[in-house]
């Protein structure tokens, strides 16, 4: 093959807590199997792995401010970059983090053309989000179907949203590059300009006149980050890439798709 995009895996922290072995097999072991296959049968292929921002853990050493409807970094902080220490939380974080490191190391150890894209909250049309994964799509789908919306924690937790078309452009930029430093992990998130808290999404839905059940609240999930916004400077430097779709436009596009389908 010329290009390989490794997008498969077990995707939910909650599922990994219920069955760590299955999670390990799906994410860590399966990734190692794929890398060995590439090494033996297609060593010139470029390989992009869908990693996760969960490899950075809870970011407990970062200073965070609590505001009315969201958490925020202190002024001047530009987001989490790739130099941030890895700190795997939950079996999911461990299995994806292990896979992330194997993907990067196979460039060092065996000369494969790999990268790990540490992706934030990817959302977009054709996403069948569930409560455990794909929260933006799930909030909108739940509203459309009249299902309950449950928030874990206080709803102020913040994520940077990345529209699927923007993510695809990043993959294409990697595949077209002949100067990329193989084995280098790269953040793939919406960045500071595209951050949204759960409560802010609820407010956005209200402004769009979407009819939905008032959210209920449950305890925080283990290992949940109060805030994650990626610093995408490395992606800009190496691949001339930055996100284009802002959350207000993306959420509206996704809602139109859900209504039609």
């Amino acid at each position: 093959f010329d290009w390989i995009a490794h997008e498969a895996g077990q995707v939910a922290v909650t599922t990994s807590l219920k069955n760590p072995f299955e999670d390990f097999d799906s994410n860590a072991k399966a990734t190692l199997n794929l890398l060995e296959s590439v090494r033996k049968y297609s060593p010139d292929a470029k390989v992009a792995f869908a990693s996760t921002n969960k490899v950075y853990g809870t970011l407990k050493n970062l200073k965070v401010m609590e505001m009315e409807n969201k958490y925020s970094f202190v002024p001047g902080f530009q987001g989490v970059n790739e130099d941030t220490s890895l700190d795997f939380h939950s079996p999911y974080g461990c299995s994806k983090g292990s896979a992330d490191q194997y993907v990067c190391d196979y460039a060092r150890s065996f000369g494969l053309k790999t990268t790990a894209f540490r992706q934030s909250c990817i959302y977009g049309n054709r996403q069948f989000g569930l409560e455990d994964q794909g929260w933006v799509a799930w909030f909108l789908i739940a509203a459309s179907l009249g299902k309950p919306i449950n928030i874990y924690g206080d709803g102020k937790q913040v994520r940077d949203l990345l529209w699927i078309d923007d993510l695809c452009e990043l993959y294409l930029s990697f595949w077209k590059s002949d100067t990329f430093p193989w084995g280098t992990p790269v953040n793939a998130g919406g960045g500071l300009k595209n951050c949204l808290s759960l409560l802010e999404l609820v407010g956005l839905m209200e402004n769009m006149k979407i009819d939905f059940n008032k959210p209920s609240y449950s305890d925080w999930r283990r290992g949940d980050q109060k805030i994650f916004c990626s610093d995408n400077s490395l992606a800009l430097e190496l691949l001339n890439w930055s996100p284009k779709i802002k959350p207000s436009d993306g959420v509206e596009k996704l809602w139109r798709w859900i209504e039609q389908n």
Side-chain angles (χ1 to χ4, degrees):
F1 297 97
D2 297 312
W3 303 340
I4 297 170
H6 177 17
E7 306 296 307
Q10 194 293 110
V11 297
V13 171
T14 49
T15 302
S16 78
L17 290 166
K18 294 175 183 176
N19 196 332
F21 279 107
E22 182 181 275
D23 174 78
F24 176 85
D25 286 344
S26 295
N27 292 338
K29 186 177 180 180
T31 299
L32 184 57
N33 285 336
L34 176 62
L35 289 168
E36 278 294 280
S37 297
V38 173
R39 183 164 76 95
K40 292 179 181 179
Y41 303 115
S42 194
D44 293 325
K46 295 178 182 178
V47 181
F49 170 58
S51 186
T52 171
N53 62 32
K54 290 293 188 290
V55 301
Y56 298 117
T58 58
L59 303 169
K60 61 180 182 293
N61 293 325
L62 289 183
K63 292 182 179 179
V64 174
M65 302 185 301
E66 184 175 355
M67 306 177 77
E68 182 180 356
N69 61 352
K70 66 179 181 179
Y71 292 100
S72 176
F73 293 129
V74 295
F77 185 72
Q78 296 302 308
V80 179
N81 64 31
E82 295 83 356
D83 291 331
T84 304
S85 298
L86 302 183
D87 185 18
F88 306 156
H89 278 242
S90 77
Y92 172 78
C94 290
S95 66
K96 291 291 285 189
S98 298
D100 175 299
Q101 292 298 281
Y102 269 113
V103 167
C104 295
D105 184 70
Y106 263 58
R108 294 188 293 260
S109 294
F110 302 112
L112 296 190
K113 301 173 182 177
T114 63
T115 188
F117 287 132
R118 293 173 177 167
Q119 299 173 187
S120 292
C121 290
I122 312 303
Y123 72 117
N125 295 349
R126 303 179 64 83
Q127 183 181 26
F128 295 91
L130 301 170
E131 188 176 64
D132 289 338
Q133 211 279 337
W135 65 278
V136 176
W138 168 245
F139 274 37
L140 296 175
I141 290 171
S144 177
L145 299 179
K147 292 183 176 291
I149 296 174
N150 188 37
I151 289 176
Y152 294 90
D154 55 17
K156 295 182 181 181
Q157 55 265 54
V158 168
R159 300 291 180 268
D160 54 336
L161 308 187
L162 184 61
W163 183 254
I164 183 60
D165 292 7
D166 283 336
L167 179 65
C168 289
E169 286 300 319
L170 177 60
Y171 276 79
L172 290 170
S173 296
F174 168 70
W175 285 328
K176 292 173 183 176
S177 175
D178 292 320
T179 60
F180 187 86
W182 313 122
T184 302
V186 175
N187 283 345
L192 284 179
K193 293 182 179 179
N194 297 298
C195 286
L196 207 66
S197 73
L198 276 64
L199 293 179
E200 285 178 320
L201 175 60
V202 170
L204 196 56
M205 293 165 63
E206 291 173 341
N207 292 338
M208 293 169 59
K209 309 299 183 185
I210 296 174
D211 185 27
F212 60 94
N213 295 316
K214 187 177 180 180
S216 58
Y217 290 81
S218 300
D219 291 338
W220 284 86
R221 287 171 166 168
R222 273 181 280 180
D224 198 5
Q225 300 153 324
K226 285 188 174 180
I227 180 171
F228 186 92
C229 295
S230 66
D231 181 343
N232 295 323
S233 299
L234 189 62
L236 180 63
E237 176 188 340
L238 297 180
L239 297 169
N240 194 31
W241 176 87
S242 60
K244 296 181 176 62
I245 303 297
K246 58 185 181 180
S248 56
D249 293 337
V251 170
E252 186 173 342
K253 290 171 67 171
L254 180 53
W255 175 245
R256 286 201 302 267
W257 180 84
I258 289 171
E259 284 191 301
Q260 295 166 3
N261 292 277

